[in-house]
Amino acid sequence: MAQKPSIPKGTRDFGQQEMAERNYIFDTIRSVFVTYGYRQIETPAMENLSTLLGKYGEEGDKLLFRILNSGDAFSGIDYEQFRLEGDSFNSKALSLKVSEKGLRYDLTVPFARYVVQHQNEISFPFKRFQIQPVWRADRPQKGRYREFYQCDVDVVGSDSLLNELELVQMVDRVFTLLGIRVAIKLNNRKVLTGLAEIAAVPDKVVDITVAIDKLDKIGLENVEAELREKGIPESGIAVVKEILGLEGSTLEKLSQMKGLFNGGSSSKVVSEAGLKGLEELEELFGLIDAAGVSQPVELDLSLARGLNYYTGAIFEVKALDWPIGSICGGGRYDNLTGIFGLPGLSGVGISFGADRIYDVLKGLDKFPARLGNSTRLLFAVMDADALRYALPVARQLRERGVSVEIYPEATKLKKQFDYAAKKNIPFISINGSEEIASGSVNIKNLETGSQQAFPTGDIDSILAFLG
């Protein structure tokens, strides 16, 4: 019995029309990256697990796809050294023994590895972009896939907040070109560090950020419950709730937080890190106002982005008119390259989620009309003479950049017209003995019904008719 064809859950096939739409997204994003001086690189689909592990937090490590070593990866394994009490095994340690490589989880960590490995070949500040697939062993659901593309743009070797501003500007420009209304949300991990300090639990900053990053998904009560599970005292939870409950404009929130971080909270703790984060946010919002960003930019104090390597500004972008998760996000990561032996190199970047952007454009019907219609002209074939007659004209048009097809066999005209209709080809050329004798080609506009004959050598007039 033949096997029913299928693909893994959380992955998708993309047909010709879908690829035209996806390339529209990639080309739009790429064009904006280039205008800000970024150039493209690529890294391997797989990385050494030692490169990936420990960079995304405990939850991120669980989502890494691991690749079994070549051959019989389990041969020669002494299972007794991995046995725990009873009949269970230390599966985490065992997996490291049989898997030395994994599929990349994102493009930022491989980029940091690339910078360190090629540091003597590149110039700093180093500005790069990367458009490649990544893989996460997540539970597939709407808007969440196991294989998906990211479009990353990063700069390393500069502390200037101008870089953060330009990231916001690129987000603004990309989504304006795509016709998607978004909200650009900003926060700063130093502010979150300050929050942990004034909550009198400075060693719990990761627990706090992981919990409040889920605020939109699980609600405040469940965030409080998670904080209690992580050992945060009620006094600390009260401080977290006070920060998350601040209201007013961005400047008003920043002003209120300055007071809290300057000893105004119930703990009376002064947080230098938190004050520094507020200073950076204030400067960044001033630059954004001066630059005239068109899409709304807002301070979101619950924004944490649960990745351990962010150290400064953090970004997240949400579509306003379509229900889906974040479609773009990132931040500053001062310490990431230090893990690979190059300390003191600051970086900042963002990642556009191409698959989610695709879903938003599809849902809002924002793709340009006739996007997948690459063929402009179809030469119908009546017989062998008509085929040979069309070849040199088709060659000249292709050399001038026109997408041309020649129907591959002599068959009924109706079938050839149907082919043109199914592919939305706007022009068809039908040439018989009369056109061949006169040295002309007859071209019909299938949308308007108008048609005209042209000398085979008058390519300019043909191009004008084809538009």
Side-chain angles (χ1 to χ4, degrees):
M1 185 175 179
Q3 179 181 350
K4 182 179 179 180
S6 63
I7 58 175
K9 290 183 178 180
T11 65
R12 294 178 291 177
D13 286 326
F14 296 102
Q16 293 173 329
Q17 178 65 27
E18 292 166 312
M19 281 308 304
E21 293 166 343
R22 287 169 64 80
N23 284 330
Y24 166 71
I25 296 172
F26 296 143
D27 292 344
T28 300
I29 293 173
R30 184 183 292 108
S31 70
V32 173
F33 289 168
V34 170
T35 63
Y36 282 81
Y38 289 79
R39 297 175 62 188
Q40 189 168 11
I41 68 166
E42 288 194 351
T43 58
M46 70 181 77
E47 294 275 351
N48 293 322
L49 273 178
S50 58
T51 297
L52 302 174
L53 287 170
K55 312 304 189 301
Y56 308 103
E58 184 177 346
E59 293 187 11
D61 283 353
K62 294 177 183 178
L63 300 181
L64 289 172
F65 274 110
R66 302 168 189 234
I67 301 171
L68 285 178
N69 296 336
S70 301
D72 186 357
F74 292 91
S75 65
I77 298 293
D78 180 6
Y79 292 101
E80 290 304 315
Q81 65 177 310
F82 301 103
R83 187 182 294 279
L84 301 175
E85 291 185 10
D87 293 327
S88 61
F89 287 86
N90 186 339
S91 58
K92 185 176 180 179
L94 178 60
S95 70
L96 291 175
K97 191 73 173 179
V98 299
S99 301
E100 298 174 352
K101 295 174 285 295
L103 295 178
R104 58 173 173 247
Y105 178 94
D106 72 353
L107 299 179
T108 305
V109 169
F111 169 57
R113 187 268 309 155
Y114 176 94
V115 169
V116 175
Q117 190 169 341
H118 299 274
Q119 59 185 286
N120 296 324
E121 307 161 24
I122 59 181
S123 300
F124 295 100
F126 181 57
K127 304 170 77 171
R128 85 82 172 86
F129 72 90
Q130 209 168 332
I131 300 176
Q132 290 185 272
V134 299
W135 294 267
R136 297 183 185 179
D138 212 343
R139 183 174 65 86
Q141 53 187 293
K142 182 180 179 181
R144 188 180 294 275
Y145 306 100
R146 287 174 171 168
E147 178 187 59
F148 56 96
Y149 266 76
Q150 286 185 340
C151 307
D152 277 22
V153 57
D154 292 79
V155 54
V156 294
S158 171
D159 298 319
S160 173
L161 285 173
L162 174 63
N163 298 309
E164 277 86 340
L165 168 65
E166 290 191 344
L167 294 179
V168 172
Q169 288 179 297
M170 283 188 281
V171 169
D172 178 35
R173 183 61 179 158
V174 165
F175 290 112
T176 297
L177 288 173
L178 293 175
I180 299 175
R181 296 193 318 122
V182 298
I184 305 170
K185 300 175 181 290
L186 297 183
N187 200 2
N188 192 297
R189 282 301 288 258
K190 293 185 181 72
V191 170
L192 296 168
T193 298
L195 174 56
E197 290 177 350
I198 66 172
V201 283
D203 59 326
K204 298 286 189 177
V205 61
V206 172
D207 292 331
I208 291 176
T209 56
V210 168
I212 68 175
D213 198 33
K214 302 173 183 176
L215 181 63
D216 287 344
K217 298 177 183 177
I218 65 175
L220 183 57
E221 288 187 6
N222 289 320
V223 168
E224 291 180 49
E226 184 167 329
L227 291 173
R228 290 189 185 95
E229 290 176 6
K230 296 296 185 180
I232 311 298
E234 293 300 323
S235 59
I237 294 174
V239 172
V240 173
K241 288 177 63 178
E242 184 177 7
I243 293 291
L244 296 179
L246 292 177
E247 297 180 349
S249 68
T250 293
L251 290 179
E252 289 170 340
K253 289 180 180 178
L254 292 174
S255 176
Q256 294 174 65
M257 292 180 71
K258 279 183 183 178
L260 292 172
F261 286 173
N262 216 7
S265 66
S266 57
S267 68
K268 307 302 180 185
V269 172
V270 175
S271 172
E272 296 296 337
L275 291 171
K276 178 62 175 174
L278 293 175
E279 178 186 326
E280 292 177 2
L281 281 172
E282 196 169 31
E283 181 180 350
L284 179 54
F285 274 102
L287 291 171
I288 290 169
D289 288 340
V293 173
S294 61
Q295 303 267 16
V297 185
E298 60 190 55
L299 174 64
D300 185 348
L301 298 173
S302 70
L303 177 58
R305 294 196 64 81
L307 295 177
N308 288 343
Y309 53 69
Y310 290 132
T311 57
I314 46 181
F315 310 86
E316 192 161 274
V317 181
K318 296 285 186 69
L320 293 176
D321 301 316
W322 192 256
I324 201 168
S326 169
I327 58 177
C328 180
R332 181 168 284 277
Y333 44 88
D334 287 346
N335 303 324
L336 192 59
T337 55
I339 298 171
F340 299 117
L342 188 61
L345 192 63
S346 182
V348 62
I350 52 174
S351 176
F352 290 79
D355 295 86
R356 289 189 176 185
I357 294 171
Y358 177 92
D359 289 345
V360 173
L361 286 170
K362 203 69 174 176
L364 296 176
D365 195 22
K366 289 286 188 177
F367 282 111
R370 305 185 65 85
L371 188 61
N373 307 337
S374 62
T375 302
R376 193 72 179 154
L377 171 64
L378 172 68
F379 279 96
V381 173
M382 308 293 290
D383 51 35
D385 289 338
L387 171 61
R388 286 191 292 270
Y389 186 70
L391 288 173
V393 183
R395 177 183 58 78
Q396 293 180 73
L397 289 171
R398 287 166 175 159
E399 288 174 352
R400 299 287 291 272
V402 179
S403 178
V404 174
E405 287 188 52
I406 302 174
Y407 200 79
E409 55 189 321
T411 187
K412 294 179 180 179
L413 273 178
K414 183 181 183 306
K415 185 175 181 180
Q416 299 185 58
F417 270 95
D418 287 345
Y419 177 82
K422 288 178 181 178
K423 293 195 68 176
N424 292 314
I425 300 173
F427 294 91
I428 191 167
S429 179
I430 306 171
N431 303 292
S433 57
E434 184 176 331
E435 285 78 17
I436 295 174
S438 64
S440 62
V441 290
N442 186 60
I443 300 177
K444 182 175 183 177
N445 186 323
L446 294 176
E447 294 178 348
T448 67
S450 63
Q451 61 183 28
Q452 192 170 337
F454 302 91
T456 55
D458 192 359
I459 300 299
D460 288 338
S461 294
I462 296 175
L463 291 173
F465 186 73
L466 295 176

